[in-house]
Amino acid sequence: MKRNVFESEDMDQLDVTVSELLVATTEQSDVLVDASVSQVLQVLREKLGMDVVFVAEFDGDHHVLRQVANPEGARVHQPGEVRELEQTWCHHVVEGRLPRLVKDTAHDPAMRHAPPAPAKIGAFITTPIVLGDRQNYGTLCTYSFSANDALGDRQLQAMEKAAHHIAQAVGRRRAG
């Protein structure tokens, strides 16, 4: 089981880092906004001790990966990857059919009726990305290949704050 130490100060620093990366691009081009979101995902992946982090957009009946931070030297997922929305854990989380945080997918009873995963997922955190107009853009997700007992409220809160900042960046981009 994977373990990481994530103290309150770490969460505060992560929030500042995420905010700075995304706010700095407010007046910039879409390319720079995309680059800053990509940096945020990489910071989240490292600070949370997870293997993959991605932003997925819910586009009609599709789940489209928009930004991805993969493990060093690996291409587990790629931007533009599309799956049927109903077959994703992200959608099931947003619909309330799966919890937002699971430390061990192999032993959590909530996962019994989950659709098949596209990769080996041992633990995950998923949180909605809700735009200013209350529209659900999609989700911010992170997962590790193995179970992770160290996941808890602090990591979930970090993901929620990052999702909020990403929602603001997406909202500014759409308004621009």
Side-chain angles (χ1 to χ4, degrees):
M1 299 253 180
K2 202 175 216 181
R3 291 190 134 325
N4 63 355
V5 178
F6 197 76
E7 301 299 328
S8 182
E9 301 84 37
D10 293 329
M11 190 171 80
D12 292 342
Q13 183 57 46
L14 179 60
D15 188 43
V16 168
T17 301
V18 166
S19 178
E20 287 174 352
L21 283 169
L22 292 172
V23 171
T25 60
T26 302
E27 303 298 323
Q28 305 296 325
S29 70
D30 288 350
V31 172
L32 292 177
V33 171
D34 287 346
S36 66
V37 171
S38 182
Q39 286 179 297
V40 165
L41 298 185
Q42 189 61 36
V43 168
L44 282 170
R45 194 183 73 70
E46 292 169 5
K47 293 287 186 182
L48 296 176
M50 302 296 274
D51 293 308
V52 177
V53 181
F54 61 85
V55 170
E57 181 180 7
F58 294 176
D59 186 7
D61 291 336
H62 297 101
H63 175 267
V64 183
L65 297 189
R66 296 297 181 197
Q67 296 284 336
V68 180
N70 286 300
E72 186 84 23
R75 299 235 2 121
V76 180
H77 298 288
Q78 296 182 57
E81 200 172 294
V82 179
R83 293 185 64 215
E84 185 181 324
L85 186 61
E86 188 60 41
Q87 293 302 310
T88 66
W89 291 5
C90 294
H91 179 66
H92 283 252
V93 168
V94 170
E95 294 293 314
R97 291 178 261 169
L98 288 176
R100 292 185 297 158
L101 185 152
V102 174
K103 296 178 183 187
D104 186 348
T105 61
H107 295 100
D108 191 308
M111 301 306 296
R112 276 188 226 144
H113 302 291
K120 179 169 176 16
I121 299 175
F124 72 87
I125 302 173
T126 298
T127 191
I129 298 173
V130 181
L131 303 179
D133 62 1
R134 300 300 225 194
Q135 176 189 359
N136 186 3
Y137 172 82
T139 55
L140 173 63
C141 303
T142 186
Y143 70 84
S144 60
F145 301 130
S146 58
N148 187 339
D149 279 341
L151 295 180
D153 288 340
R154 286 185 176 147
Q155 290 80 6
L156 179 58
Q157 289 170 4
M159 288 285 288
E160 289 170 343
K161 285 184 177 185
H164 175 75
H165 291 302
I166 290 169
Q168 290 177 326
V170 169
R172 286 191 301 266
R173 180 179 179 175
R174 286 184 169 184

